């Protein structure tokens, strides 16, 4: 292959190194106004009154809006979210009022003049507390909310979704088990910390149409939800998305777009911009949900898993808009990459008075794999088995049954190869080693899997246009959030069309008026799905080229060959015609013309995906499973709890690396993000649910000085037959199972179990001290 | 607020204008001069994304007042490539895949150019130390470090 499998330069590289790449915050529009939000200081309180009369008197303040101005809700899966708080506030940071002014300073000044009277209500600040029968309700009206048929909210409780999996006979399974172990796990809420804070501009036009410019990952989802919620037909809504400065799922749903659009209407149809500050990004933008898990596992004496009872509760925060799908995703993958014949799992998405949670790279899976991969380690220890051997013994190989009853396809990836690869490269099998006073070196390993969390009808499409000179424009709906998918798609198009990749330009922005549909840029689904759509679009183009060439060359289509931007007759390369002479119709010497502009299109939806049975969770949720494993070597100071990851090894079965450098970039970057989340990051709250660390001094993310010395990346390529050139997604996968690999290494070093994140020095020290 | 007249050079071009004394250099660059390559991401000196060269030294432009740059010379990412030619470091970033979303790329390029200029043969540790003030959430930093080292190795 000429282009697929090569590390070609990113299509967006030159714009990004010269500072000319456009992001939402760089856009300025004529007459543009600026919005600022007044945030709730209470986690749970009734809004008694809001007085903004003084604020409105300030010169250059154009308008002020409060929740009662907008009497409808939005939500991707559960329609539960207010545009601005109505009647009550549900987290510290919920927008209560919005000021629109001629400039930002005036808007900020006006915020200080708004008086809100609250009547505090008891907040629910822990997911376990929220499940108790007498817990305060975060959403009294849960029964009234519209929701997707795939979800199951329980009115009168804080449960936004209940997802259940049942397979086999769990009681029998535990009865036959020689070893049974039950443990609890927890992780805090965290932030995506995209380097670009959320930014959007909205304009409501007098004819009732809407224009949006936004840093959102999924323009078509925004258009759809806005249309549904406002009752506006989709052809009157345009969403424009330039480059995105990091998304990681935090920009996947619909966020502030409805607000700026409605503010524009209220402000006399002028465009209104909202750009979050870093503090607002922490306080009022959506976060990753918190997690609590309880797992009971049974196995035979020789280490065969027989039964598992799983309980996952996701701390959704104040709204479950997008978040209900996180609990569902954790549910359908709940065992991790292991075969468990008897299984009962319950995965709940639970409202609390924390900031609201949304998608975050690898959602559901990062969370439950923390629990499962720690549990596997403790099981292996209980059984007296080597943890690598134990994992391999229970590996979910092709032909075995997944939690939802799917027989794993023969061309699925190989978890056993991933585990073996990391074990070999980390030098598994050597015992922990003392290195000087109080310091130990040890190794840890953890496995992972994930399938895209998406509805069965999630679709992708592609358009390829042939320009008059025989070059091409490729247009796709997947947004460029850093992951590089569009570069790989250009390579696929070049391979299919047989033209140099330099002759294909990927349209660098997304505009729902022009761009072909893509459900969302999420779930590690886009290389696979857009990839297939691009292949079909390229084949459509070739078919059209052959149609015209057949007339011009006076030969049947099946006698024609496409190569090097030319069409020729088999065995007669001298009877040929160049692409550029067909591109806009072939013109004979006398002016007669045949054919016309060539536009190829293709789409892709997953084959035979299904909704899952509400009682048992059985069905087909997975377009593909990507498997992988992580290994670490750490050095631990048992006096201080200080831990340093010296070496990382990551292996993924990606099917086919379309662009190896991009694959490696996704792996190296995702693994560090995972390490950072696992070791340092957490939303810290005071007793009233107020975040204590809403800045990058107190909420630390990994810096250049924090990276491990060595990172070995192993790319395994067992192709999936229906993937584009055999490829599977990898973007989110690199995020998974780094924290349990580190905690497992700590366990081997000193025998303490860290089951709550983050694995901070303080938490390690506390665990070691407790053991003594 | 009383405006103050300042004169400075930015990317080789001399400018004179009046600014309010409470405005930052970042504001001057992005809002007044419309050079959007320099990014705003925290406005309190934590993330380093707004880093530019002020008289040859890297500064976080959100922490410098615009009035302070009177008489100074500023280089932003837009001033790196000259006459349509990318610098060796810009090319190295592309070759090493040292960028993903691209939002932090301008700041890393600025710091990288400063480092190479000051210390043409830095060690890996010196590169890491220089980059420690700028945050990236995508790349894991490794490719950025490699890109900078690749340039220093060829420039003996």
């Amino acid at each position: 292959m000429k282009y697929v499998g090569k590390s070609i330069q990113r299509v967006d590289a030159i714009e990004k190194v010269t500072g000319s790449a456009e992001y939402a915050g760089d856009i300025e529009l004529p007459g543009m106004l600026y919005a600022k939000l007044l945030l709730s200081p209470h986690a749970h309180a009734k809004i008694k009154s809001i007085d903004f009369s003084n604020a409105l008197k300030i010169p250059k303040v154009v308008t002020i809006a409060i929740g009662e101005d907008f009497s409808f809700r939005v939500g991707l899966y559960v329609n539960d979210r207010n545009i601005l708080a109505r009647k009550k506030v549900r987290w510290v940071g919920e927008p209560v009022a919005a000021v629109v002014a001629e400039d930002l300073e005036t808007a900020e000044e006006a915020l200080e003049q708004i008086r809100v009277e609250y009547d505090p209500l008891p907040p629910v600040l822990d997911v376990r507390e929220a499940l108790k029968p007498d817990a305060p309700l975060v959403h009294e009206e849960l029964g009234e909310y519209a929701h997707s048929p795939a979800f199951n909210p329980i009115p009168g409780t804080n449960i936004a979704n209940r997802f259940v999996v049942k397979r086999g006979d769990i009681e029998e399974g535990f009865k036959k088990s020689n070893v049974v172990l039950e443990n609890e796990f927890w992780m805090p809420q965290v932030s995506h910390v995209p380097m670009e804070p959320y930014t959007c501009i909205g304009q409501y036009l007098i004819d009732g149409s809407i224009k949006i410019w936004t840093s959102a990952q999924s323009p078509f989802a925004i258009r759809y939800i806005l249309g549904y919620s406002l009752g506006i037909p989709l052809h009157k809504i345009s969403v424009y998305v330039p480059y995105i400065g990091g998304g990681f799922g935090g920009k996947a749903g619909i966020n502030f777009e409805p607000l700026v659009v409605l503010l524009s209407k209220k402000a006399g149809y002028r465009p209104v911009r909202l750009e979050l500050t870093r503090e607002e990004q922490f306080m009022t933008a959506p976060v990753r949900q918190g997690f609590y898990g309880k797992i009971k596992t049974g196995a035979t004496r020789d280490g065969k898993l027989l039964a598992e009872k799983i309980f996952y509760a996701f701390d959704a925060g104040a709204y479950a808009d997008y978040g209900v799908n996180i609990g569902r995703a954790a549910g359908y993958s709940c065992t991790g990459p292991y075969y468990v014949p008897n299984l009962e799992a319950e995965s709940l998405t639970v409202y609390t008075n924390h900031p609201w949670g949304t998608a975050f790279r690898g959602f559901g899976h990062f969370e439950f794999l923390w629990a499962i991969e720690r549990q596997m380690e403790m099981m292996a220890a209980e059984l007296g088995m080597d943890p690598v051997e134990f994992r391999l013994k229970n590996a979910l190989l092709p032909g075995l049954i997944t939690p939802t009853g799917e027989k794993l396809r023969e061309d699925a990836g190989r978890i056993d190869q991933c585990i073996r690869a990391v074990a070999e490269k980390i030098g598994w099998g050597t015992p922990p080693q003392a290195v000087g006073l109080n310091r130990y070196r040890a190794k840890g390993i953890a496995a992972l899997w994930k399938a895209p969390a998406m509805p069965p009808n999630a679709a992708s499409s592609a358009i390829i246009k042939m320009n008059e000179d025989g070059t091409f424009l490729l247009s796709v709906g997947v947004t460029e959030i850093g992951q590089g998918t569009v570069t790989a798609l250009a390579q696929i198009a070049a391979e299919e069309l047989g033209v140099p990749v330099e002759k294909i330009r990927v349209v660098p922005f997304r505009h729902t008026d022009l761009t072909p549909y893509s459900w969302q840029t999420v779930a590690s689904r886009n290389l696979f799905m857009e990839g297939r759509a691009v292949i079909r679009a390229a084949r459509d183009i070739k078919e059209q080229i052959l149609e015209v060439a057949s007339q011009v060359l006076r030969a049947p289509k099946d006698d024609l060959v496409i190569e090097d931007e030319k069409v020729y007759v088999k065995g007669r390369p001298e009877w040929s015609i160049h692409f550029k002479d067909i591109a806009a119709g072939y013109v004979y010497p006398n002016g007669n013309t045949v054919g016309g502009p060539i536009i190829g299109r293709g789409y892709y939806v997953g084959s035979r995906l299904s909704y899952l049975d509400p009682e048992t969770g059985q069905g087909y949720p997975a377009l593909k499973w990507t498997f992988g494993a992580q290994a670490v070597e750490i050095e631990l100071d048992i006096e201080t709890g200080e831990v340093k990851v010296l070496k990382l090894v990551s292996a993924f079965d990606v099917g086919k690396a379309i662009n190896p450098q991009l694959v490696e970039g996704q792996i190296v970057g995702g693994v560090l993000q995972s390490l950072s989340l696992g070791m340092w990051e957490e939303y810290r709250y005071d007793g009233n649910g107020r975040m204590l660390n809403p800045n990058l001094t107190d909420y630390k993310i990994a810096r250049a000085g924090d990276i491990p010395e060595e990172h070995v990346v192993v790319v395994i390529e067992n192709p999936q037959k229906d993937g584009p050139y055999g490829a599977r997604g990898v973007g989110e996968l690199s995020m998974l199972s780094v924290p349990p690999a580190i905690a497992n290494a700590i366990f081997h070093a000193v025998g303490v179990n860290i089951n709550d994140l983050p694995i901070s020095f303080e938490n390690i020290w506390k665990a070691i001290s407790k053991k003594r | 607020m009383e405006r103050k007249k300042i004169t400075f050079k930015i990317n080789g071009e001399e400018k004179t204008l009046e600014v309010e004394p409470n405005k930052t250099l970042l504001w001057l660059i992005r809002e007044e001069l419309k050079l959007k390559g320099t990014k705003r991401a925290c406005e309190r000196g934590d993330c380093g994304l707004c880093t530019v060269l002020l008289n040859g030294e890297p500064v976080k432009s959100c922490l410098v007042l615009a009035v302070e740059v009177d008489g100074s010379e500023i280089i932003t990412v837009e001033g790196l490539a000259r006459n349509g030619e990318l610098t060796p470091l810009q090319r190295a970033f592309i070759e090493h895949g040292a960028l993903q979303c691209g939002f932090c790329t301008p700041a890393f390029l600025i710091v990288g150019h400063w480092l190479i200029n000051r210390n043409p043969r830095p060690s890996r540790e010196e590169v890491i130390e220089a980059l420690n003030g700028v945050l990236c959430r995508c790349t894991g930093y490794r490719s950025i470090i490699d890109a900078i080292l690749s340039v220093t190795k060829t420039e003996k």
Side-chain angles (χ1 to χ4, degrees):
Chain A
M1 280 181 287
K2 271 185 171 166
Y3 306 106
V4 165
K6 305 284 191 306
S7 292
I8 69 148
Q9 168 181 328
R10 292 179 69 104
V11 298
D12 51 359
I14 292 180
E15 284 180 272
K16 286 180 174 176
V17 298
T18 53
S20 60
E22 181 194 55
Y23 299 85
D26 303 335
I27 298 171
E28 295 181 1
L29 298 173
M32 189 166 78
L33 300 169
Y34 297 81
K36 281 299 284 184
L37 305 175
L38 182 71
L39 306 183
S40 163
H42 296 285
H44 199 193
K46 275 190 187 143
I47 300 171
K48 280 172 75 181
S49 66
I50 304 177
D51 177 4
F52 53 83
S53 51
N54 285 339
L56 212 46
K57 285 180 203 147
I58 297 173
K60 295 201 282 182
V61 168
V62 178
T63 189
I64 294 174
I66 59 171
E68 296 310 317
D69 291 326
F70 312 128
S71 58
F72 57 90
R73 301 185 185 90
V74 293
L76 187 69
Y77 296 119
V78 177
N79 207 42
D80 63 358
R81 202 153 54 81
N82 293 312
I83 306 297
L84 294 168
R86 290 170 68 198
K87 297 190 180 88
K88 67 175 190 173
V89 291
R90 293 182 170 88
W91 90 89
V92 177
E94 178 159 18
V96 175
V99 175
V100 178
E102 296 284 349
D103 57 53
L104 209 50
E105 287 87 345
T106 307
E108 279 166 3
E109 189 192 333
L111 285 186
E112 291 170 21
Q113 299 299 322
I114 301 176
R115 298 282 168 263
V116 187
E117 258 192 282
Y118 296 96
D119 202 351
L121 297 166
V124 51
L125 299 171
D126 180 288
V127 68
R128 286 155 289 189
E129 295 294 319
L131 288 169
K132 291 185 176 163
D134 56 347
L137 288 183
V138 180
H139 289 265
E140 294 84 352
E141 325 85 332
L142 182 54
E144 297 163 25
Y145 298 165
H147 62 85
S148 145
F151 299 99
N152 180 26
I154 304 177
T157 74
N158 285 317
I159 299 171
N161 183 44
R162 179 168 183 267
F163 181 80
V164 175
V165 177
K166 280 184 185 149
R167 281 193 60 69
D169 183 339
I170 192 155
E171 280 178 26
E172 192 62 21
F174 278 120
K175 214 181 286 170
K176 286 187 178 154
S177 297
N178 307 110
V179 173
V180 176
L181 199 62
E182 187 175 63
N183 288 294
E184 292 178 274
F185 309 88
W186 183 86
M187 71 171 66
Q189 291 177 306
V190 291
S191 170
H192 309 77
V193 193
M195 285 299 105
E196 172 199 41
Y198 212 98
T199 304
C200 55
I201 306 168
Q203 186 169 17
Y204 202 107
L205 289 110
I206 287 177
D207 68 353
S209 61
I210 286 172
K211 288 163 106 175
I212 293 169
W213 299 257
T214 177
S215 62
Q217 285 172 237
S218 307
F220 288 94
I222 287 173
R223 189 179 68 158
Y224 178 77
I225 295 166
L226 206 62
Y228 173 84
S229 290
L230 294 178
I232 294 176
L234 297 190
H235 72 292
K236 297 188 99 173
I237 305 174
S238 306
V239 183
Y240 174 87
V241 177
Y243 289 121
I244 297 168
F248 315 117
K251 297 170 181 171
I254 186 164
N255 290 302
F256 301 94
E257 292 83 5
L259 173 66
V260 287
V261 163
L262 294 166
L263 290 175
S264 165
K265 188 179 184 185
K266 213 166 181 294
Y269 307 101
R270 288 168 68 180
V272 173
R273 169 156 95 170
L274 177 71
E275 182 178 24
L276 298 188
T277 64
R278 182 58 58 186
E279 185 175 339
E280 288 164 346
Q281 180 72 33
F282 277 112
M283 300 283 292
T284 199
V287 305
R288 192 186 70 201
Q289 301 181 341
F291 169 82
Y292 164 80
K294 188 175 183 181
I295 303 173
K296 183 177 164 188
T297 308
T300 60
R301 177 58 59 205
D302 64 349
K304 201 81 190 153
L305 290 173
L306 280 187
E308 205 149 55
K309 189 170 169 58
I310 290 173
F311 176 75
Y312 297 150
F314 286 83
D315 179 351
Y319 295 104
D321 164 353
Y322 201 127
V324 283
N325 203 27
I326 294 160
R328 174 181 167 275
Y332 69 62
S333 303
C334 61
T335 55
Y338 308 105
Y339 174 61
V340 183
N342 303 293
L343 172 68
E344 225 177 86
E346 187 181 20
S347 185
L348 304 180
T349 305
V350 185
Y351 290 119
T352 66
N353 293 112
H354 279 152
W356 69 286
T358 192
F360 191 166
R361 198 174 185 179
F363 71 60
H365 294 68
F366 179 96
E367 298 90 319
F368 89 77
L369 282 165
W370 164 244
I372 282 287
E373 287 300 313
R374 287 265 50 240
Q375 177 77 352
M376 289 299 113
E377 205 72 11
M378 291 188 274
M379 277 300 285
E382 191 75 16
L383 288 157
M385 275 179 84
D386 177 85
V388 168
E389 190 197 327
F390 175 61
R391 284 182 173 82
L392 288 172
K393 186 160 195 158
N394 294 288
L396 192 77
L397 298 176
L400 291 173
I401 308 296
T402 69
T404 67
E406 170 193 344
K407 188 171 126 186
L408 199 63
R409 50 192 295 157
E410 287 305 315
D411 61 353
R414 295 289 299 242
I415 184 61
D416 54 336
Q417 292 178 14
C418 296
I419 294 172
R420 286 201 172 93
V422 298
E424 188 205 323
K425 299 280 182 195
I426 201 77
W428 186 256
T430 56
Q433 187 192 351
V435 284
L437 202 61
N438 303 323
R439 297 183 89 83
Y440 292 85
R441 282 194 185 172
K443 292 163 188 168
I445 213 160
L448 60 96
W449 76 335
K450 185 183 184 293
M454 62 184 210
N457 65 339
S460 290
S461 55
I463 294 171
I464 303 177
K465 290 200 277 189
M466 199 179 192
N467 298 317
E468 302 91 293
D469 61 354
T471 61
F472 294 90
L473 269 183
L474 169 61
S475 187
V476 284
V478 52
T479 47
E480 177 47 79
I481 61 176
Q483 82 283 44
T485 305
V486 295
T487 300
L489 295 175
Q491 290 173 259
I492 289 172
E495 196 69 51
E496 285 292 327
L497 293 167
V499 303
V501 73
E502 301 76 39
K503 294 210 168 175
I504 298 171
R505 176 166 178 260
V506 184
V507 178
F509 58 84
R510 308 293 167 260
H511 192 309
T512 52
D513 289 2
L514 305 166
T515 303
Y517 179 83
S518 183
W519 170 66
Q520 286 202 42
T521 300
V522 291
S524 305
R525 70 174 197 95
N526 296 95
L527 176 62
F528 193 104
M529 298 188 74
E530 256 81 356
R532 285 295 305 275
V534 167
I535 290 172
R536 286 177 172 171
R539 290 182 183 169
D540 187 17
I541 290 251
K542 285 199 285 191
E543 192 56 35
Q544 294 175 45
I545 288 172
L546 290 175
E547 194 74 41
V548 181
S550 166
Q551 292 182 52
V552 177
L553 296 172
R554 282 163 286 179
K557 280 199 277 185
D558 56 0
D559 272 358
L560 299 181
V561 180
I562 293 181
E563 204 175 271
D564 293 335
E565 302 170 72
K566 281 189 202 117
V567 186
Y568 63 86
V569 181
K570 268 181 202 160
R572 285 286 187 186
E574 69 273 23
W575 295 345
S576 73
I577 183 167
H578 197 277
F579 276 10
K580 69 173 170 3
D581 298 320
I582 303 177
Y586 178 78
V587 186
Y588 286 94
N590 72 349
N592 292 170
T593 303
V594 292
I598 291 176
I599 300 172
R601 50 85 79 163
Y603 69 82
Y604 186 76
V605 293
S607 300
R608 302 185 65 155
L609 298 179
S610 70
Y611 292 120
L612 302 176
D613 185 282
E615 305 297 323
T616 64
Q618 302 298 287
Y620 285 80
L623 180 70
K624 59 184 168 65
W625 292 98
T626 305
F627 291 92
Q630 313 268 15
V632 297
E633 182 174 10
I634 60 154
E635 189 170 305
L636 175 69
D637 186 319
I638 59 165
E639 280 303 309
T640 61
E642 196 177 339
V643 69
K644 195 170 164 54
V645 177
L646 304 173
K647 179 177 176 178
L648 288 161
V649 184
S650 310
F652 296 91
D653 190 342
V654 304
K656 171 75 189 171
I658 305 289
N659 183 320
Q661 188 184 57
L662 288 175
V663 170
E664 184 161 336
Q666 283 304 295
I667 294 172
V668 171
V671 166
L672 188 71
Q673 199 175 94
S674 185
L675 184 149
S676 179
L677 288 160
M679 294 182 71
W680 303 304
E681 299 181 38
E682 66 176 316
Y683 270 53
R684 288 173 172 265
Y685 296 105
D686 69 11
N688 299 316
R690 166 177 275 278
M691 188 191 184
L692 295 169
N693 53 339
N695 60 68
L696 292 166
T697 313
D698 300 313
Y699 184 106
K700 289 204 183 303
I701 69 168
R703 289 180 180 269
D706 296 319
I707 67 170
E709 252 168 61
E710 200 185 347
H711 189 176
V712 178
V713 172
V714 184
V715 174
I716 296 167
E717 296 182 308
N718 292 304
Q720 178 150 331
K721 288 181 183 138
D722 58 351
Y725 294 89
R728 295 182 197 92
V730 72
E732 301 172 306
L733 277 295
S734 54
M735 272 279 286
L736 309 178
S737 287
V738 178
I742 298 169
N744 292 344
I746 293 170
F747 173 69
H748 293 300
V750 284
V752 301
N753 283 305
I754 312 274
N755 289 345
D756 295 351
L757 285 184
I759 313 168
S760 62
F761 300 168
E762 187 185 342
N763 288 347
I764 297 169
W765 179 82
K766 278 183 192 158
I768 294 173
S769 306
K770 208 169 132 191
K771 196 185 170 221
R772 287 173 177 173
Chain B
M1 226 171 285
E2 199 186 328
R3 294 164 77 91
K4 190 171 179 289
K5 189 165 146 185
I6 55 171
T7 300
F8 55 94
K9 240 182 176 179
I10 186 156
N11 300 331
E13 205 180 319
E14 192 160 297
K15 302 263 180 195
T16 299
L17 46 88
E18 290 191 342
V19 292
E20 290 171 345
N22 63 345
K23 298 292 192 200
T24 63
L25 175 57
L26 175 60
W27 177 89
L28 178 72
I29 292 168
R30 279 187 65 86
E31 309 307 327
E32 189 69 31
L33 303 172
K34 307 294 181 197
L35 293 168
K36 303 291 189 183
T38 303
K39 297 304 179 196
R40 167 175 49 214
C42 81
E43 293 187 277
R44 46 173 279 161
D46 286 334
C47 75
L49 261 66
C50 64
T51 303
V52 298
L53 295 182
L54 180 60
N55 299 323
E57 292 294 312
V59 295
K60 293 170 178 175
S61 62
C62 71
L63 298 182
V64 175
L65 289 172
V67 290
E68 292 178 75
V69 306
D70 189 25
S72 302
E73 187 163 353
I74 300 155
I75 304 282
T76 69
V77 66
E78 290 91 345
L80 295 176
R82 290 288 164 90
N83 309 318
E85 283 280 320
L86 297 184
T87 66
L89 188 60
Q90 285 172 316
R91 286 201 302 272
F93 265 55
I94 296 173
E95 280 156 25
H96 285 80
L99 57 109
Q100 290 186 22
C101 84
F103 207 71
C104 67
T105 309
F108 279 108
L109 282 166
I110 289 287
V111 175
H113 279 97
W114 165 78
L115 177 67
I116 296 164
N117 208 21
R118 199 189 57 144
N119 178 2
R121 303 291 312 265
S123 66
R124 192 172 186 87
E125 289 65 36
E126 285 168 325
V127 173
I128 290 173
E129 195 181 326
L131 301 185
N132 226 15
V134 185
L135 287 174
C136 167
R137 190 63 154 171
C138 297
T139 64
Y141 302 102
R142 208 170 284 275
S143 52
I144 300 174
I145 298 164
D146 291 342
I148 293 174
L149 283 170
S150 79
V151 171
T152 61
K153 273 175 199 148
T154 55
E155 286 181 357
K156 283 181 186 166

